[in-house]
Amino acid sequence: FKMTTVEEMEAATNRLLETGAKVGADAWQFRVKNQTPHCKFGEQGVCCRICSMGPCRITPKAPRGICGCDVHGIVGRNYLKFTAGGAATHSDHGREICNTLGHAAPDGAYKVKDPAKLIRIAKEWGVETEGRDIYDLAHEMSELALSEYGKNHGVSRWLKRAPQHTQDLWHNAGIEPRAIDREVSCALHMTHMGCSSKPEALIRQSLRNGLSDGWGGSMCGTEFSDVLFGTPKPIDTEANLGVMVAENVNIVVHGHDPSLSEMICEVADDPEMIAYAKEMGAKGITISGVCCTSNEVAMRRGIPMAGNFLQQENVVLTGACEAIVVDVQCIFPALGPLSKCFHTKFITTSPIAQMPDSDYIEFSAGTALEKAKEIVKTAIENFKNRKPDLVYIPDMKQKATVGYSVEAIVKTLDGVTNSQVDKTGTTKPLVDCITSGVIRGAVAMVGCNNPKIRPDYAHIELMKKLIANDIIVVASGCSAQAAAKAGLMDKAAKDLCGAGLKRVCELADIPPVLHMGSCVDISRMMVLVSELAKDSGLNISQLPVVGCAPEWMSEKAVSIGNYVVATGIDTFLGVDPYVSGSTEITELLTSGVKDWVEASYTVEKDIDKLVDKMIERIEEKRTALGI
Ligand code: NFS
Ligand code: SF4
């Protein structure tokens, strides 16, 4: 077993940038140079531009804005706005899924692929399921889920999944999320000129708004995606640019919402389409993915992952991409001009994410099949426009086993501590592995990559060290793709583990880094820790489990961080969330919030120290439990 190193990936990128140079293409590697050094005021979070008396920048000589707001108010408001952006984004994605559920029909484009899960959620929500037509139930659940976004009273229905202790903490701290949209609105109201400037109030709302994402909108996204497209089960796939096939029509799906990517995969599988591709001179059609939508179709269909966030331009630079089809979020506007340097069609599909230099084919649940066909055909017909001398696909890919939903983890690890026992259907065997010390703990590795950190390096190095120390890793988003590209999701990577984790990997037949899905699927991790807490009789904050986003970049990542911390999980960041300008906000996030939710943030830009601090925290938690 041989890993792919970051050096090898960088060499491949450099080779692709040479192709880019031939056609005059720009790339993030060059734009970073133009933007460095970054604005210090922005970096520290001390610039306020929420009213037109400003912008006001706080310095020792000018300690207050024109309205009199101090640095803590400004940094806190900026932090809350950042959170609101992320929560809105994930939650709106979740809303689209709830809407798609309403379009499910036995003879339509969208079906109910996991009726048992739909029934399970309906029961949780107190909805009558006995003798119901499954599509009738789906439509009622779609309406109920959509009303979670704007209901007048009460708190998120999903909170009941958390251990009682966690629910009590949320209640006592005044951070139980109400209607999903309300928390975003409330955040934007609080951050308006002349509303909140008290650090504590701003951070409480940051946690609440985060919770409305993880225990609201994102959970809707994950759960109803499973209902529609199937709950992920372990499945083999491949990762890195080498999954693109030179002789085939290459369609790359990029973005987040599986409503689009699932349909593209469905249509590209149609023998008629494959025949059409052959007619146009290709051998077949290859779909691969970038970013979270790639995670979605990898987990459910084994569609290969071409790469993560900072690899999106590389896909076009191969010269072999007929179409890059996007929906929402994390899409570089750079893809417009870049695609013009090649034959690639840059196809935008969502009114939410419209970009210059793209072909816009609006996609909606009602017209899904028809639009997906139009998109796939456009790609096929573009094959003939390739410039063969520009085609270079790096011969670089790794095997990966993905698809570890909570349901799959429970099933796979059941009985692993004692092959004689009956299946428990719970996380108890995993609890046993942890309490006995065979596994020391778990780390949830999540988030993006970011040029501020050597891309993918932190993800990969951290994971290697963690598994060598018998700490199992669950991963999502672009972190999961970093792992897959490196080979850490190949079952053979067990050889990099400590003896305990290696044994578990062998017994359960799993890789040491488990792919739990996209970023909205971090809600799966919340369900998993809740189950672990209930099955062990411990509070979530007592479990030897931490979260980590070493290379995060997006507003969504801050929203996630807030709900992970608010759920009782210490969270480690490798990039500062623009709060270093305020001692009070920094103190609250790195320590103060512990009084409310029993967890807090650690920011550590030195990657070696970051991993050591996580291991230390895990061992502290073990010591406190006497295990
Ligand atoms: Ni998450 Fe997914 Fe990737 Fe970061 Fe973007 S794709 S929602 S935000 S960059 S991990
Ligand atoms: Fe300046 Fe206050 Fe306006 Fe912000 S709200 S820009 S600190 S005057």
Side-chain angles (χ1 to χ4, degrees):
F1 167 69
K2 195 189 156 296
M3 283 187 69
T4 303
T5 65
V6 172
E7 288 74 14
E8 287 166 327
M9 293 186 214
E10 287 167 345
T13 299
N14 289 338
R15 171 69 179 76
L16 289 169
L17 290 174
E18 283 170 25
T19 313
K22 279 189 216 158
V23 294
D26 193 11
W28 65 260
Q29 287 83 349
F30 310 121
R31 294 189 297 271
V32 164
K33 290 197 183 105
N34 296 342
Q35 288 295 343
T36 314
H38 297 281
C39 166
K40 281 277 170 265
F41 298 108
E43 259 181 351
Q44 296 171 354
V46 301
C47 171
C48 182
R49 47 180 296 281
I50 63 169
C51 92
S52 76
M53 295 193 286
C56 299
R57 294 166 304 181
I58 301 304
T59 62
K61 262 174 49 200
R64 287 182 186 267
I66 293 170
C67 66
C69 192
D70 67 10
V71 75
H72 312 297
I74 290 175
V75 171
R77 282 196 305 230
N78 287 340
Y79 185 79
L80 176 51
K81 269 171 146 357
F82 213 90
T83 305
T89 305
H90 273 149
S91 298
D92 217 28
H93 162 176
R95 183 192 335 255
E96 280 306 315
I97 299 294
C98 300
N99 178 50
T100 304
L101 185 66
H103 280 83
D107 52 358
Y110 299 104
K111 313 232 171 13
V112 171
K113 285 214 184 137
D114 192 342
K117 185 152 186 171
L118 178 63
I119 291 168
R120 183 149 56 80
I121 302 168
K123 284 190 174 147
E124 241 180 77
W125 285 13
V127 174
E128 184 55 56
T129 59
E130 234 24 74
R132 293 279 298 273
D133 172 71
I134 199 74
Y135 285 89
D136 184 37
L137 183 62
H139 299 154
E140 180 177 349
M141 289 300 287
S142 157
E143 284 302 315
L144 273 180
L146 287 169
S147 68
E148 281 296 286
Y149 284 78
K151 64 187 183 185
N152 296 331
H153 304 288
V155 298
S156 169
R157 287 174 181 271
W158 298 115
L159 304 190
K160 290 263 173 285
R161 290 182 161 189
Q164 190 58 47
H165 175 75
T166 308
Q167 293 183 48
D168 293 345
L169 287 175
W170 291 338
H171 183 75
N172 295 336
I175 58 170
E176 289 164 302
R178 299 158 293 180
I180 298 163
D181 290 345
R182 180 175 180 180
E183 298 310 349
V184 177
S185 280
C186 180
L188 293 181
H189 188 175
M190 287 178 77
T191 56
H192 189 274
M193 191 273 152
C195 279
S196 288
S197 50
K198 190 174 169 184
E200 187 192 304
L202 292 164
I203 298 306
R204 269 191 214 273
Q205 182 60 19
S206 300
L207 297 186
R208 173 143 74 170
N209 204 173
L211 286 169
S212 76
D213 168 357
W215 291 86
S218 276
M219 208 169 271
C220 284
T222 296
E223 296 297 274
F224 296 117
S225 290
D226 283 359
V227 168
L228 283 165
F229 307 120
T231 304
K233 303 194 266 294
I235 185 167
D236 291 335
T237 185
E238 291 174 329
N240 220 339
L241 285 173
V243 303
M244 294 173 73
V245 180
E247 304 76 49
N248 287 356
V249 172
N250 285 293
I251 303 176
V252 177
V253 290
H254 175 13
H256 285 78
D257 184 345
S259 304
L260 170 70
S261 50
E262 280 280 334
M263 277 311 117
I264 301 282
C265 293
E266 201 66 49
V267 168
D269 246 1
D270 184 342
E272 249 176 61
M273 282 293 175
I274 298 168
Y276 189 43
K278 288 186 177 155
E279 209 178 295
M280 292 289 144
K283 281 210 171 133
I285 304 173
T286 297
I287 309 272
S288 60
V290 173
C291 283
C292 279
T293 215
S294 171
N295 291 319
E296 299 275 358
V297 286
M299 294 266 284
R300 298 197 178 90
R301 291 174 177 264
I303 297 290
M305 300 176 273
N308 51 4
F309 180 60
L310 286 178
Q311 212 160 325
Q312 56 184 290
E313 291 172 295
N314 291 16
V315 165
V316 178
L317 287 167
T318 61
C321 174
E322 274 56 59
I324 180 158
V325 186
V326 306
D327 50 52
V328 289
Q329 305 167 26
C330 303
I331 300 143
F332 271 10
L335 293 178
L338 177 61
S339 65
K340 296 281 176 250
C341 298
F342 292 86
H343 75 302
T344 306
K345 296 267 184 207
F346 174 41
I347 302 176
T348 48
T349 62
S350 167
I352 303 276
Q354 306 184 46
M355 296 189 193
D357 295 316
S358 69
D359 293 355
Y360 185 60
I361 303 180
E362 190 167 310
F363 183 87
S364 72
T367 57
L369 221 43
E370 181 193 316
K371 295 294 173 151
K373 276 186 189 153
E374 185 183 340
I375 292 168
V376 173
K377 272 197 176 147
T378 305
I380 292 173
E381 287 161 5
N382 196 26
F383 183 76
K384 61 176 182 302
N385 297 324
R386 256 199 212 173
K387 301 183 183 93
D389 50 324
L390 292 180
V391 173
Y392 170 74
I393 301 173
D395 179 22
M396 185 174 275
K397 61 179 179 184
Q398 285 281 359
K399 284 194 275 183
T401 304
V402 301
Y404 292 95
S405 56
V406 175
E407 291 86 338
I409 290 177
V410 167
K411 202 162 167 224
T412 318
L413 288 174
D414 213 345
V416 82
T417 42
N418 175 1
S419 54
Q420 311 302 315
V421 297
D422 293 333
K423 297 281 177 199
T424 64
T426 68
T427 65
K428 281 197 176 117
L430 183 53
V431 171
D432 290 345
C433 289
I434 295 173
T435 43
S436 68
V438 178
I439 296 178
R440 305 298 294 172
V443 174
M445 291 286 297
V446 306
C448 332
N449 42 20
N450 184 330
K452 282 190 180 162
I453 308 277
R454 189 177 173 190
D456 291 336
Y457 184 78
H459 289 295
I460 295 167
E461 290 307 307
L462 259 57
M463 290 189 212
K464 270 164 54 187
K465 183 144 186 190
L466 291 169
I467 63 176
N469 280 279
D470 288 326
I471 294 167
I472 193 165
V473 174
V474 292
S476 69
C478 291
S479 181
Q481 292 171 330
K485 285 194 295 177
L488 292 169
M489 287 178 172
D490 186 334
K491 287 175 185 169
K494 69 176 183 341
D495 291 342
L496 305 173
C497 299
L501 181 56
K502 184 175 179 184
R503 182 100 189 95
V504 173
C505 289
E506 279 166 352
L507 282 172
D509 193 27
I510 53 170
V513 179
L514 299 177
H515 195 315
M516 286 192 80
S518 64
C519 291
V520 293
D521 291 340
I522 296 169
S523 65
R524 297 188 198 278
M525 298 178 182
M526 299 303 100
V527 174
L528 181 61
V529 286
S530 296
E531 291 306 305
L532 281 169
K534 289 179 205 167
D535 288 339
S536 64
L538 299 169
N539 297 332
I540 292 177
S541 62
Q542 291 176 293
L543 299 168
V545 169
V546 303
C548 179
E551 306 183 20
W552 74 274
M553 63 84 203
S554 75
E555 290 172 314
K556 290 178 285 176
V558 170
S559 177
I560 293 168
N562 286 342
Y563 75 70
V564 174
V565 165
T567 302
I569 302 167
D570 286 328
T571 298
F572 293 73
L573 305 178
V575 180
D576 172 61
Y578 299 153
V579 296
S580 64
S582 161
T583 48
E584 287 185 28
I585 297 295
T586 302
E587 196 282 333
L588 270 171
L589 293 175
T590 57
S591 139
V593 295
K594 227 178 197 125
D595 295 340
W596 312 335
V597 294
E598 301 176 345
S600 64
Y601 281 104
T602 300
V603 180
E604 176 54 71
K605 294 183 200 164
D606 180 327
I607 294 309
D608 294 321
K609 285 192 191 144
L610 185 69
V611 64
D612 290 339
K613 282 183 179 173
M614 287 198 282
I615 296 174
E616 218 172 275
R617 188 68 50 87
I618 284 172
E619 291 301 331
E620 271 167 31
K621 288 189 186 272
R622 297 190 64 90
T623 310
L625 289 172
I627 56 172

